[in-house]
Amino acid sequence: MATALLSGTAASAVTDGSAPRVRIHGGRVDVPVRGGTATVDTTTLRTEARTGDGRVVLLSAAAASRLGRASAPARTADGAGWSYPETGLRAEVRADSGRLLLTLTATGADTSVRWPVTAADPAAAAIQFPRGEGLSVPVDDPFWNSPDGALVGEPQELNSQLTMPVWGYTLRGGRAGAGYIVPTDIGTSLTFASQDGRLRATAEHGFAAGDATGAYTVALSLTDGSPVAPAADYRDWLAEHGQLGSLAEKIRENPRTAKLLGAFHAYAWGGARRPAYLDALKTLGVSRLWLGYDSDDAPMTGADVRAAEAAGYLAGPYDSFADGQRKTEDSSPNTIWPDDVYPRFCVLRADGTPQPGFRGKGCYLSSQAFEQAEPNRHYLADRTRSLVANGAGSYFLDVDAAGELFRDHDPGHAMTMAGDRANRLARMRRLTDGSYDASGRPLVLGSESAGSWANQVLAFDHGAATPVDGRLWAMETGHFDNRPQDPKDDDAWGGYMPEQAAATFFRPVRTTDFKPEHRARVAAALKAMYDPRYRVPLYETALHGSLVNAERWELSFGKLPEQKTTRALLAMLSNTPLTFVLSDKDPHDAQNLRELVALQQYFAPLHQAAGTEALTSFRWLSDDHLVQRTVFGDGTLTVTANFGTTAHDGLPGGCVDAALRGRPGTQRLCPADVVS
């Protein structure tokens, strides 16, 4: 099966120069959309679209929550509107750049709605959703319908647990589908259900005046059946609304950003931060590298940073503005603040208690409190300046772009989640425009698991490429069957010793390293995260060329040996860097360096050529979805990866071919030949 990307930006639904118009007939409203006409049943919000060739696509089944009796729809200036007096909701629809745009507004007490209900069409074949980079899950797949898939019944917040407020589904035959964009993502979640062995996904929005979530907007589209079509439409949406960042523009504004092109990412411990180790990396052939380090008692010095710069690398500290706690022997330096920032800046919950911080320690700090203090007390600027006084040109700010937003009930620094997001964007922008640096230097900024809303302010992120399964936290923390405060019941992942090569980051772990009673859960989690049959590049389709996306930093390339070949192929296919951890105290250091050198040398010219380009096509070349192809730009780079075990059209199993426009032939990489 082969699928092609949507071509071009969404066109108007009419061609005579007039605005698209809706039609009201009885309790139904017809809206012209790209590729056909959508019809909304105002009594239930059931929405279907008829394509130009006569096919019918169910955009949504009836709402899964009570709406009450609908008033008669009436024409508005650009569409139609009606209300549900019993539930205090007002609905409006209109055509928008080839999409059906429906907005529900709460006019009374706080309430919620469960709509749209998607993939309920009997002809639905697969659901696409952006968990990390992205997944396309067959609706009748036994794994994902079962408890092993850990998908059914767990609401996923659009603003935090999914990397973009987007999802979609495709019909059998791959010739049509539907896509959904929710610009009002705060307060909205997506939940999967299994009915008769088939998946469907339902969005739910909570209308709450105190949370400023009183309006709920969904843009519904017909698609051409490509599994990445919803993400392509979202890229268009971002561009149409002035919300799509450009990595090329970021490079023009701060030329140091160009060092990300072709670079793998690594965190350094111990002697790996020092000039001798960095010189050795350069001698081995590592041409580009982003190098991060903890702000501990032995950070990179000015001499270390100069050595990194001389090698062509970017170096930057890890920091976080999120947590505060009292100083103890085991508290992280990033959680310690001057004056009475802790506990005065703590986010307060509705019951007046502080929002517990990471792993229950201290509290999460209010971005609003920092914003209010910053004109007089430069806590964030002072922290930043102290950490880049060594000349570091980059900065990794944990959590800020990850989307875990808070409502603060403290009357001294009250904020909504939307206000929290705005504050985070503002302070991240100050890091990139030089406001937080004593000499006005802009910093090459990265953050954790970046939601798409942060794409304009970030140059890179760590984590949005990883489709995190909830069982990963049990693997990492060692708490499968007991409470976090209890002793670990499985230490396979490892802890924070030895200090300069902590086992949690450096110890390779295989499924069989876990206790027998935990192995099935580990295997299922890794299948959900890395089985290439389910992976599709949704995030890269929307945002490649806007920022550089990588996996979570605690999931270094060496951490999961059984997934090395797959992860290397996925990285090359999506034109995204691999992440490593480096330490001269690591017993696997020589092996790590061999793999880093070989893989980075293959990756560098591909990313330098296409890192600023859009991902313009994704196709499955085999029925089992194990042979995949991507294209970047207008053919700048074409990558074909074979995740299978048998050759396909001359490409051996477990290998990838890359073709750069203007260069003869293809470059081949078979990761199994260079990793162990």
Side-chain angles (χ1 to χ4, degrees), residues 261-264 280-289 313 572 575 577-578 580 592-608 658 660 663 667-669 674:
L261 297 178
F264 277 4
L281 283 177
K282 186 68 174 179
T283 300
L284 287 170
V286 178
S287 61
R288 298 281 180 94
L289 190 67
Y313 307 157
M572 303 309 159
N575 198 228
L578 291 166
F580 284 75
N592 267 355
L593 292 182
R594 285 195 304 271
E595 296 175 359
L596 171 61
V597 170
L599 296 171
Q600 192 269 334
Q601 287 180 342
Y602 181 83
F603 173 77
L606 310 182
H607 196 236
Q608 286 175 278
L660 284 168
R663 297 190 188 181
Q667 291 78 48
R668 177 166 294 173
L669 171 71
V674 298

Side-chain angles (χ1 to χ4, degrees), residues 342-673:
Y342 176 81
R344 187 163 57 92
F345 283 19
C346 288
V347 169
L348 292 189
R349 298 180 288 192
D351 63 2
T353 60
Q355 178 71 46
F358 182 63
R359 292 185 175 169
K361 296 182 179 180
C363 73
Y364 279 110
L365 300 174
S366 171
S367 64
Q368 182 65 25
F370 278 117
E371 283 295 302
Q372 293 174 187
E374 198 68 8
N376 299 310
R377 297 304 308 270
H378 308 301
Y379 294 117
L380 303 184
D382 290 346
R383 165 75 74 86
T384 302
R385 289 166 184 165
S386 70
L387 292 182
V388 298
N390 60 2
S394 186
Y395 210 83
F396 183 82
L397 185 64
D398 203 9
V399 177
D400 258 37
E404 186 180 13
L405 305 172
F406 297 105
R407 180 180 175 188
D408 190 353
H409 293 266
D410 190 312
H413 40 77
M415 68 179 179
T416 63
M417 287 190 286
D420 190 12
R421 176 184 286 179
N423 291 336
R424 295 178 188 217
L425 285 170
R427 67 195 192 187
M428 286 191 284
R429 191 169 287 111
R430 293 184 200 119
L431 286 162
T432 65
D433 68 13
S435 298
Y436 281 172
D437 185 78
S439 60
R441 287 183 309 137
L443 297 168
V444 180
L445 180 65
S447 190
E448 176 194 359
S449 300
S452 57
W453 54 268
N455 84 88
Q456 291 180 290
V457 298
L458 296 179
F460 67 95
D461 88 88
H462 294 163
T466 308
V468 171
D469 181 275
R471 291 162 292 197
L472 177 63
W473 313 128
M475 295 159 59
E476 292 187 1
T477 63
H479 294 284
F480 283 85
D481 302 308
N482 60 7
R483 300 173 301 172
Q485 59 267 37
D486 294 334
K488 293 182 179 181
D489 60 15
D490 199 324
D491 195 32
W493 197 267
Y496 288 88
M497 296 299 291
E499 185 176 350
Q500 294 190 357
T504 189
F505 304 119
F506 288 87
R507 179 196 293 171
V509 62
R510 295 170 172 81
T511 305
T512 53
D513 294 328
F514 291 88
K515 290 182 177 179
E517 61 267 31
H518 300 148
R519 291 174 189 168
R521 276 177 277 179
V522 171
L526 294 175
K527 177 183 177 71
M529 291 170 64
Y530 291 115
D531 191 324
R533 293 174 297 175
Y534 305 123
R535 292 284 295 262
V536 289
L538 298 178
Y539 194 90
E540 295 309 311
T541 296
L543 296 175
H544 195 278
S546 298
L547 76 168
V548 176
N549 181 28
E551 284 219 66
R552 295 185 62 83
W553 71 288
E554 81 271 22
L555 295 176
S556 66
F557 186 67
K559 185 66 185 180
L560 302 170
E562 295 165 313
Q563 281 70 42
K564 278 185 176 180
T565 292
T566 294
R567 293 174 76 190
L569 294 178
L570 285 168
M572 303 309 159
L573 184 72
S574 59
N575 198 228
T576 55
L578 291 166
T579 58
F580 284 75
V581 288
L582 302 174
S583 173
D584 58 340
K585 305 300 182 184
D586 176 20
H588 304 281
D589 188 50
Q591 175 187 338
N592 267 355
L593 292 182
R594 285 195 304 271
E595 296 175 359
L596 171 61
V597 170
L599 296 171
Q600 192 269 334
Q601 287 180 342
Y602 181 83
F603 173 77
L606 310 182
H607 196 236
Q608 286 175 278
T612 59
E613 302 273 3
L615 194 165
T616 50
S617 177
F618 169 77
R619 300 174 62 197
W620 288 309
L621 302 184
S622 63
D623 291 340
D624 60 9
H625 293 183
L626 291 178
V627 184
Q628 305 176 13
R629 176 172 290 164
T630 52
V631 179
F632 297 85
D634 60 354
T636 300
L637 172 66
T638 301
V639 184
T640 307
N642 185 349
F643 295 94
T645 57
T646 59
H648 178 90
D649 198 21
L651 177 62
C655 298
V656 59
D657 276 350
L660 284 168
R661 188 178 56 200
R663 297 190 188 181
T666 59
Q667 291 78 48
R668 177 166 294 173
L669 171 71
C670 298
D673 294 341

